[in-house]
Amino acid sequence: MRKFIVLLAALAAATSVPAVTLVDRIVAVVNKEVITLSELNDAVAAAERELRRRGTAPPERSVLERQMLERLILDRAQAQMARDTGIRIDELQLDRAVQRIAQSNNMTLADFRAALERDGLAYDTFRKEVREQIALSRLREREVDDRIQVSDSEIDLFLEAMSSAPAERTEYNLAHVLIRVPEQASPERIEAAKTRAERVRADALAGNDFAKLAASFSDAPDALRGGALGWRSQDRLPELFADALQKLKPGDTSEVLRSPAGFHILKLVDRRVAGISDAPVAQTRLRHILIRTSETVAEAEARRRLTDIRARVLSGAADFAEMARANSDDATAARGGELDWVYPGDTVPEFERAFQDLKVGDISQPVRTPFGYHIIQVLQRRSADVSPERKRLQARQVLRERKSDEEYQEWLRQLRDRTYVEVRLEDR
Protein backbone atom coordinates (compact mmCIF):
# COMPACT_ATOMS: atom_id res chain seq x y z
CA MET A 1 0.00 0.00 0.00
CA ARG A 2 2.81 2.39 0.88
CA LYS A 3 4.46 1.72 -2.49
CA PHE A 4 1.15 2.48 -4.20
CA ILE A 5 0.86 5.84 -2.40
CA VAL A 6 4.44 6.76 -3.27
CA LEU A 7 3.77 5.83 -6.88
CA LEU A 8 0.66 8.04 -6.98
CA ALA A 9 2.60 10.94 -5.48
CA ALA A 10 5.37 10.55 -8.04
CA LEU A 11 2.85 10.36 -10.86
CA ALA A 12 1.08 13.49 -9.60
CA ALA A 13 4.37 15.35 -9.39
CA ALA A 14 5.28 14.32 -12.93
CA THR A 15 1.94 15.42 -14.38
CA SER A 16 1.31 18.54 -12.23
CA VAL A 17 0.52 21.76 -14.08
CA PRO A 18 3.18 24.46 -13.58
CA ALA A 19 2.17 27.72 -11.87
CA VAL A 20 0.46 30.13 -14.30
CA THR A 21 2.31 33.38 -14.94
CA LEU A 22 0.10 36.32 -15.93
CA VAL A 23 1.54 37.69 -19.18
CA ASP A 24 -1.10 40.31 -19.98
CA ARG A 25 -4.68 41.22 -19.25
CA ILE A 26 -7.48 43.45 -20.47
CA VAL A 27 -7.81 46.87 -18.83
CA ALA A 28 -10.54 48.29 -21.07
CA VAL A 29 -12.94 47.34 -23.83
CA VAL A 30 -13.64 49.96 -26.51
CA ASN A 31 -16.59 48.89 -28.64
CA LYS A 32 -15.39 45.40 -29.70
CA GLU A 33 -11.65 45.95 -29.20
CA VAL A 34 -9.55 45.62 -26.07
CA ILE A 35 -6.77 47.67 -24.51
CA THR A 36 -4.25 45.52 -22.68
CA LEU A 37 -2.17 46.18 -19.62
CA SER A 38 1.02 46.03 -21.69
CA GLU A 39 -0.33 48.76 -23.99
CA LEU A 40 -1.18 50.89 -20.98
CA ASN A 41 2.25 50.31 -19.43
CA ASP A 42 3.94 51.36 -22.68
CA ALA A 43 1.81 54.52 -22.82
CA VAL A 44 2.59 55.38 -19.20
CA ALA A 45 6.32 54.86 -19.78
CA ALA A 46 6.22 57.14 -22.82
CA ALA A 47 4.31 59.76 -20.85
CA GLU A 48 6.84 59.65 -18.02
CA ARG A 49 9.72 60.13 -20.49
CA GLU A 50 7.94 63.09 -22.07
CA LEU A 51 7.19 64.74 -18.73
CA ARG A 52 10.79 64.36 -17.56
CA ARG A 53 12.02 65.77 -20.87
CA ARG A 54 9.88 68.84 -20.21
CA GLY A 55 11.18 69.11 -16.65
CA THR A 56 7.82 68.20 -15.09
CA ALA A 57 7.72 65.63 -12.31
CA PRO A 58 5.34 62.79 -13.26
CA PRO A 59 2.26 62.38 -11.07
CA GLU A 60 1.61 59.23 -9.09
CA ARG A 61 1.49 56.04 -11.14
CA SER A 62 -2.23 55.46 -10.53
CA VAL A 63 -3.06 59.01 -11.66
CA LEU A 64 -0.97 58.71 -14.82
CA GLU A 65 -2.52 55.33 -15.58
CA ARG A 66 -5.97 56.87 -15.47
CA GLN A 67 -4.89 59.75 -17.73
CA MET A 68 -3.24 57.51 -20.27
CA LEU A 69 -6.05 54.97 -20.29
CA GLU A 70 -8.52 57.74 -21.16
CA ARG A 71 -6.23 58.89 -23.97
CA LEU A 72 -5.91 55.32 -25.28
CA ILE A 73 -9.69 54.94 -25.21
CA LEU A 74 -10.21 58.14 -27.17
CA ASP A 75 -7.46 57.28 -29.67
CA ARG A 76 -8.85 53.77 -30.11
CA ALA A 77 -12.36 55.13 -30.77
CA GLN A 78 -10.98 57.51 -33.41
CA ALA A 79 -8.81 54.81 -34.99
CA GLN A 80 -11.85 52.53 -35.26
CA MET A 81 -13.84 55.27 -36.94
CA ALA A 82 -10.98 56.06 -39.34
CA ARG A 83 -10.62 52.40 -40.29
CA ASP A 84 -14.37 51.79 -40.61
CA THR A 85 -14.75 54.79 -42.91
CA GLY A 86 -11.95 53.81 -45.27
CA ILE A 87 -8.96 55.90 -44.15
CA ARG A 88 -5.76 53.98 -44.97
CA ILE A 89 -2.11 55.01 -44.71
CA ASP A 90 0.12 53.10 -47.13
CA GLU A 91 3.77 52.22 -46.56
CA LEU A 92 5.13 54.95 -48.84
CA GLN A 93 3.18 57.67 -47.00
CA LEU A 94 4.38 56.28 -43.68
CA ASP A 95 8.01 56.10 -44.83
CA ARG A 96 7.92 59.74 -45.89
CA ALA A 97 6.36 60.84 -42.61
CA VAL A 98 8.99 59.02 -40.54
CA GLN A 99 11.75 60.45 -42.72
CA ARG A 100 10.42 63.99 -42.15
CA ILE A 101 10.35 63.42 -38.38
CA ALA A 102 13.97 62.24 -38.44
CA GLN A 103 15.02 65.26 -40.50
CA SER A 104 13.17 67.65 -38.19
CA ASN A 105 15.39 66.26 -35.42
CA ASN A 106 18.47 66.84 -37.61
CA MET A 107 19.17 63.10 -37.82
CA THR A 108 19.53 60.51 -40.50
CA LEU A 109 16.92 57.77 -40.40
CA ALA A 110 19.48 55.31 -39.00
CA ASP A 111 20.52 57.71 -36.23
CA PHE A 112 16.89 58.47 -35.41
CA ARG A 113 16.07 54.78 -35.17
CA ALA A 114 19.03 54.24 -32.83
CA ALA A 115 17.90 57.18 -30.67
CA LEU A 116 14.41 55.71 -30.37
CA GLU A 117 15.79 52.35 -29.28
CA ARG A 118 18.07 54.02 -26.71
CA ASP A 119 14.93 55.60 -25.26
CA GLY A 120 13.32 52.18 -25.02
CA LEU A 121 10.92 52.65 -27.95
CA ALA A 122 10.95 49.96 -30.63
CA TYR A 123 11.13 51.33 -34.17
CA ASP A 124 8.17 49.23 -35.35
CA THR A 125 6.10 50.54 -32.43
CA PHE A 126 7.03 54.12 -33.37
CA ARG A 127 5.99 53.52 -36.99
CA LYS A 128 2.67 52.12 -35.81
CA GLU A 129 2.08 55.22 -33.67
CA VAL A 130 2.96 57.55 -36.56
CA ARG A 131 0.59 55.66 -38.87
CA GLU A 132 -2.21 56.03 -36.34
CA GLN A 133 -1.56 59.75 -35.81
CA ILE A 134 -1.67 60.40 -39.56
CA ALA A 135 -4.96 58.53 -39.77
CA LEU A 136 -6.39 60.52 -36.84
CA SER A 137 -5.26 63.77 -38.44
CA ARG A 138 -7.05 62.86 -41.67
CA LEU A 139 -10.11 61.86 -39.70
CA ARG A 140 -10.16 65.29 -38.04
CA GLU A 141 -9.76 67.01 -41.40
CA ARG A 142 -12.70 65.11 -42.84
CA GLU A 143 -15.03 65.18 -39.84
CA VAL A 144 -14.27 68.69 -38.57
CA ASP A 145 -11.92 70.92 -40.56
CA ASP A 146 -13.40 70.34 -44.02
CA ARG A 147 -16.88 71.19 -42.75
CA ILE A 148 -15.99 74.58 -41.29
CA GLN A 149 -17.32 77.56 -43.19
CA VAL A 150 -16.41 81.21 -42.64
CA SER A 151 -18.82 83.71 -44.16
CA ASP A 152 -17.94 87.11 -45.59
CA SER A 153 -20.06 88.76 -42.91
CA GLU A 154 -18.03 87.03 -40.19
CA ILE A 155 -14.84 88.34 -41.78
CA ASP A 156 -16.30 91.87 -41.97
CA LEU A 157 -17.23 91.80 -38.29
CA PHE A 158 -13.83 90.41 -37.32
CA LEU A 159 -11.88 93.07 -39.22
CA GLU A 160 -14.10 95.80 -37.81
CA ALA A 161 -13.47 94.53 -34.27
CA MET A 162 -9.72 94.32 -34.90
CA SER A 163 -9.55 97.92 -36.11
CA SER A 164 -11.75 99.38 -33.38
CA ALA A 165 -10.82 97.37 -30.26
CA PRO A 166 -7.15 97.14 -29.24
CA ALA A 167 -8.06 94.34 -26.82
CA GLU A 168 -8.86 92.16 -29.82
CA ARG A 169 -5.16 92.25 -30.74
CA THR A 170 -4.12 90.73 -27.43
CA GLU A 171 -2.49 87.32 -27.46
CA TYR A 172 -2.29 85.09 -24.41
CA ASN A 173 0.22 82.40 -23.52
CA LEU A 174 -1.88 80.08 -21.39
CA ALA A 175 -2.24 76.63 -19.91
CA HIS A 176 -5.41 74.93 -18.77
CA VAL A 177 -6.94 71.96 -16.99
CA LEU A 178 -10.14 70.39 -18.27
CA ILE A 179 -12.30 68.19 -16.08
CA ARG A 180 -14.54 66.59 -18.68
CA VAL A 181 -18.28 66.15 -18.04
CA PRO A 182 -20.10 63.65 -20.31
CA GLU A 183 -23.22 64.75 -22.15
CA GLN A 184 -26.38 64.03 -20.10
CA ALA A 185 -24.28 63.44 -16.95
CA SER A 186 -26.21 63.04 -13.71
CA PRO A 187 -26.30 65.95 -11.23
CA GLU A 188 -24.13 63.90 -8.88
CA ARG A 189 -21.47 63.37 -11.55
CA ILE A 190 -21.50 67.05 -12.49
CA GLU A 191 -21.08 68.04 -8.84
CA ALA A 192 -18.21 65.56 -8.42
CA ALA A 193 -16.44 67.02 -11.47
CA LYS A 194 -16.93 70.56 -10.14
CA THR A 195 -15.52 69.56 -6.75
CA ARG A 196 -12.50 68.02 -8.46
CA ALA A 197 -11.95 71.19 -10.50
CA GLU A 198 -12.16 73.37 -7.40
CA ARG A 199 -9.60 71.17 -5.69
CA VAL A 200 -7.23 71.54 -8.66
CA ARG A 201 -7.65 75.34 -8.55
CA ALA A 202 -7.01 75.39 -4.81
CA ASP A 203 -3.81 73.40 -5.31
CA ALA A 204 -2.70 75.82 -8.04
CA LEU A 205 -3.38 78.84 -5.80
CA ALA A 206 -1.41 77.13 -3.03
CA GLY A 207 1.66 77.15 -5.26
CA ASN A 208 1.59 73.64 -6.68
CA ASP A 209 3.13 73.26 -10.13
CA PHE A 210 0.37 73.88 -12.68
CA ALA A 211 2.01 71.63 -15.28
CA LYS A 212 2.01 68.72 -12.84
CA LEU A 213 -1.62 69.41 -11.93
CA ALA A 214 -2.55 69.34 -15.61
CA ALA A 215 -0.66 66.09 -16.14
CA SER A 216 -2.39 64.60 -13.10
CA PHE A 217 -5.97 65.76 -13.54
CA SER A 218 -6.69 67.24 -16.97
CA ASP A 219 -8.80 65.30 -19.46
CA ALA A 220 -7.61 67.47 -22.36
CA PRO A 221 -5.27 66.11 -25.08
CA ASP A 222 -2.57 68.57 -23.99
CA ALA A 223 -2.45 67.27 -20.40
CA LEU A 224 1.02 65.76 -20.78
CA ARG A 225 2.32 69.08 -22.12
CA GLY A 226 1.44 70.58 -18.77
CA GLY A 227 -1.85 71.80 -20.23
CA ALA A 228 0.08 74.30 -22.35
CA LEU A 229 -1.95 75.83 -25.17
CA GLY A 230 0.84 78.24 -26.17
CA TRP A 231 0.10 81.65 -27.64
CA ARG A 232 -3.51 82.20 -28.66
CA SER A 233 -4.96 85.45 -29.95
CA GLN A 234 -8.14 86.57 -28.22
CA ASP A 235 -10.17 85.96 -31.34
CA ARG A 236 -9.03 82.30 -31.36
CA LEU A 237 -10.30 81.68 -27.85
CA PRO A 238 -13.80 80.75 -26.75
CA GLU A 239 -15.59 83.79 -25.37
CA LEU A 240 -15.63 82.09 -21.96
CA PHE A 241 -11.81 81.95 -21.93
CA ALA A 242 -11.30 85.42 -23.42
CA ASP A 243 -13.51 87.09 -20.82
CA ALA A 244 -11.73 85.32 -17.96
CA LEU A 245 -8.21 86.07 -19.24
CA GLN A 246 -8.88 89.80 -19.54
CA LYS A 247 -9.17 89.92 -15.73
CA LEU A 248 -5.92 88.03 -15.05
CA LYS A 249 -2.32 89.15 -14.69
CA PRO A 250 0.55 86.91 -15.86
CA GLY A 251 0.93 84.12 -13.32
CA ASP A 252 -2.71 84.26 -12.17
CA THR A 253 -5.12 81.32 -12.15
CA SER A 254 -8.74 81.75 -13.17
CA GLU A 255 -11.90 80.80 -11.38
CA VAL A 256 -13.42 77.45 -12.29
CA LEU A 257 -15.18 77.96 -15.64
CA ARG A 258 -18.10 75.88 -16.92
CA SER A 259 -18.53 74.99 -20.61
CA PRO A 260 -20.46 72.23 -22.43
CA ALA A 261 -17.26 70.14 -22.33
CA GLY A 262 -16.85 70.36 -18.56
CA PHE A 263 -14.98 72.50 -16.04
CA HIS A 264 -11.84 74.51 -16.89
CA ILE A 265 -9.09 76.20 -14.90
CA LEU A 266 -6.85 78.61 -16.82
CA LYS A 267 -3.38 79.87 -15.99
CA LEU A 268 -2.17 83.02 -17.75
CA VAL A 269 1.56 82.66 -18.43
CA ASP A 270 2.03 85.90 -20.38
CA ARG A 271 0.30 88.32 -22.72
CA ARG A 272 1.30 90.49 -25.67
CA VAL A 273 -0.29 92.70 -28.33
CA ALA A 274 -0.39 91.26 -31.83
CA GLY A 275 -3.03 90.36 -34.39
CA ILE A 276 -3.60 91.52 -37.94
CA SER A 277 -1.60 94.70 -38.28
CA ASP A 278 -1.54 97.53 -40.78
CA ALA A 279 2.28 97.70 -40.50
CA PRO A 280 4.31 96.79 -43.61
CA VAL A 281 5.46 93.18 -43.76
CA ALA A 282 8.50 91.53 -45.33
CA GLN A 283 7.99 89.88 -48.70
CA THR A 284 10.39 87.64 -50.57
CA ARG A 285 10.52 87.01 -54.31
CA LEU A 286 12.06 83.64 -55.05
CA ARG A 287 12.20 80.64 -57.31
CA HIS A 288 12.79 76.97 -56.73
CA ILE A 289 13.25 73.56 -58.32
CA LEU A 290 11.29 70.67 -56.84
CA ILE A 291 12.01 66.98 -57.33
CA ARG A 292 9.36 64.75 -55.80
CA THR A 293 10.40 61.44 -54.27
CA SER A 294 8.49 58.30 -55.16
CA GLU A 295 8.88 54.57 -55.61
CA THR A 296 10.98 55.31 -58.70
CA VAL A 297 12.88 58.36 -57.35
CA ALA A 298 14.68 57.65 -54.07
CA GLU A 299 15.50 60.41 -51.60
CA ALA A 300 19.23 60.03 -52.23
CA GLU A 301 18.65 60.35 -55.99
CA ALA A 302 16.56 63.51 -55.55
CA ARG A 303 19.27 65.10 -53.40
CA ARG A 304 22.00 64.08 -55.83
CA ARG A 305 20.19 65.56 -58.82
CA LEU A 306 19.54 68.86 -57.04
CA THR A 307 23.10 69.08 -55.72
CA ASP A 308 24.37 68.63 -59.28
CA ILE A 309 21.97 71.27 -60.66
CA ARG A 310 22.98 73.71 -57.91
CA ALA A 311 26.68 73.22 -58.68
CA ARG A 312 26.12 73.78 -62.40
CA VAL A 313 24.14 76.98 -61.82
CA LEU A 314 26.67 78.37 -59.37
CA SER A 315 29.54 77.64 -61.78
CA GLY A 316 27.73 79.41 -64.63
CA ALA A 317 27.39 76.23 -66.68
CA ALA A 318 23.59 76.28 -66.43
CA ASP A 319 20.76 78.79 -65.97
CA PHE A 320 18.45 78.35 -62.96
CA ALA A 321 15.27 79.10 -64.90
CA GLU A 322 16.18 76.64 -67.68
CA MET A 323 16.99 73.97 -65.12
CA ALA A 324 13.63 74.58 -63.44
CA ARG A 325 11.78 74.24 -66.75
CA ALA A 326 13.56 70.98 -67.50
CA ASN A 327 13.53 69.38 -64.04
CA SER A 328 11.01 70.87 -61.60
CA ASP A 329 8.05 68.68 -60.68
CA ASP A 330 5.47 71.39 -60.01
CA ALA A 331 3.39 74.02 -61.78
CA THR A 332 6.06 76.73 -61.43
CA ALA A 333 8.35 74.92 -63.90
CA ALA A 334 6.86 76.80 -66.86
CA ARG A 335 7.75 80.10 -65.12
CA GLY A 336 11.34 79.06 -64.50
CA GLY A 337 10.47 78.03 -60.94
CA GLU A 338 9.27 81.49 -59.86
CA LEU A 339 6.85 81.74 -56.93
CA ASP A 340 6.72 85.53 -57.22
CA TRP A 341 6.30 87.45 -53.93
CA VAL A 342 5.50 85.43 -50.81
CA TYR A 343 4.44 86.59 -47.36
CA PRO A 344 5.51 84.97 -44.09
CA GLY A 345 3.39 81.87 -43.60
CA ASP A 346 2.63 81.34 -47.30
CA THR A 347 4.88 78.27 -47.54
CA VAL A 348 5.44 75.22 -45.36
CA PRO A 349 7.76 75.83 -42.36
CA GLU A 350 10.73 73.85 -43.72
CA PHE A 351 10.67 75.84 -46.95
CA GLU A 352 10.28 79.18 -45.18
CA ARG A 353 13.13 78.52 -42.74
CA ALA A 354 15.41 77.69 -45.66
CA PHE A 355 14.77 80.81 -47.73
CA GLN A 356 14.77 83.13 -44.71
CA ASP A 357 18.39 82.11 -44.08
CA LEU A 358 19.48 83.04 -47.61
CA LYS A 359 20.89 86.30 -48.90
CA VAL A 360 19.60 87.75 -52.17
CA GLY A 361 21.10 85.69 -54.99
CA ASP A 362 22.00 82.70 -52.81
CA ILE A 363 20.89 79.17 -53.69
CA SER A 364 20.09 76.78 -50.88
CA GLN A 365 21.32 73.25 -50.41
CA PRO A 366 18.59 70.62 -51.09
CA VAL A 367 15.72 71.19 -48.64
CA ARG A 368 13.25 68.47 -47.62
CA THR A 369 9.55 69.38 -47.31
CA PRO A 370 6.38 67.25 -47.43
CA PHE A 371 6.38 67.77 -51.22
CA GLY A 372 9.89 66.42 -51.88
CA TYR A 373 13.31 68.09 -52.22
CA HIS A 374 13.88 71.69 -53.36
CA ILE A 375 16.69 74.07 -54.09
CA ILE A 376 15.65 77.70 -53.55
CA GLN A 377 17.03 80.99 -54.82
CA VAL A 378 16.08 84.35 -53.31
CA LEU A 379 15.70 87.00 -56.02
CA GLN A 380 14.55 90.06 -54.08
CA ARG A 381 13.21 91.28 -50.74
CA ARG A 382 10.98 94.22 -49.84
CA SER A 383 8.56 95.61 -47.26
CA ALA A 384 5.01 96.07 -48.45
CA ASP A 385 1.67 97.10 -47.04
CA VAL A 386 -0.82 94.33 -46.49
CA SER A 387 -3.50 94.56 -49.15
CA PRO A 388 -7.21 94.44 -48.21
CA GLU A 389 -7.46 91.07 -49.95
CA ARG A 390 -4.55 89.78 -47.88
CA LYS A 391 -6.16 91.00 -44.65
CA ARG A 392 -9.35 89.17 -45.50
CA LEU A 393 -7.38 86.00 -46.23
CA GLN A 394 -5.63 86.28 -42.85
CA ALA A 395 -8.92 86.92 -41.09
CA ARG A 396 -10.52 83.90 -42.74
CA GLN A 397 -7.63 81.70 -41.60
CA VAL A 398 -7.80 83.00 -38.02
CA LEU A 399 -11.55 82.39 -37.86
CA ARG A 400 -11.18 78.90 -39.36
CA GLU A 401 -8.56 77.96 -36.74
CA ARG A 402 -10.75 79.27 -33.94
CA LYS A 403 -13.78 77.36 -35.15
CA SER A 404 -11.69 74.24 -35.76
CA ASP A 405 -10.39 74.15 -32.19
CA GLU A 406 -13.86 74.56 -30.73
CA GLU A 407 -15.57 72.11 -33.08
CA TYR A 408 -12.89 69.46 -32.63
CA GLN A 409 -13.21 69.46 -28.84
CA GLU A 410 -16.97 69.15 -29.14
CA TRP A 411 -16.63 66.38 -31.73
CA LEU A 412 -14.26 64.45 -29.42
CA ARG A 413 -16.69 64.79 -26.53
CA GLN A 414 -19.56 63.46 -28.62
CA LEU A 415 -17.45 60.58 -29.96
CA ARG A 416 -16.44 59.58 -26.44
CA ASP A 417 -20.03 59.73 -25.20
CA ARG A 418 -21.35 57.43 -27.93
CA THR A 419 -18.50 54.90 -27.66
CA TYR A 420 -19.12 51.76 -25.62
CA VAL A 421 -16.37 51.64 -22.98
CA GLU A 422 -15.86 49.10 -20.22
CA VAL A 423 -12.94 49.91 -17.88
CA ARG A 424 -11.30 47.06 -15.96
CA LEU A 425 -8.28 48.91 -14.65
CA GLU A 426 -9.29 48.32 -11.03
CA ASP A 427 -9.40 44.53 -11.53
CA ARG A 428 -6.06 43.92 -9.83
Side-chain angles (χ1 to χ4, degrees), residues 345-356 367-371:
D346 278 354
T347 61
V348 294
E350 303 93 332
F351 193 95
E352 182 164 323
R353 283 195 297 268
F355 77 70
Q356 292 288 14
V367 177
R368 182 71 165 94
T369 76
F371 304 103

Side-chain angles (χ1 to χ4, degrees), residues 7 33 35 66 82 100 164 170 181 187 203 206 247 336 400 407:
L7 180 61
E33 295 183 15
I35 296 173
R66 179 186 62 79
R100 287 196 298 272
S164 62
T170 302
V181 175
D203 287 345
K247 305 169 187 175
R400 279 187 60 84
E407 293 294 330

Side-chain angles (χ1 to χ4, degrees), residues 166-178:
E168 295 293 334
R169 297 182 180 226
T170 302
E171 289 186 341
Y172 301 97
N173 185 3
L174 70 151
H176 82 138
V177 170
L178 166 64

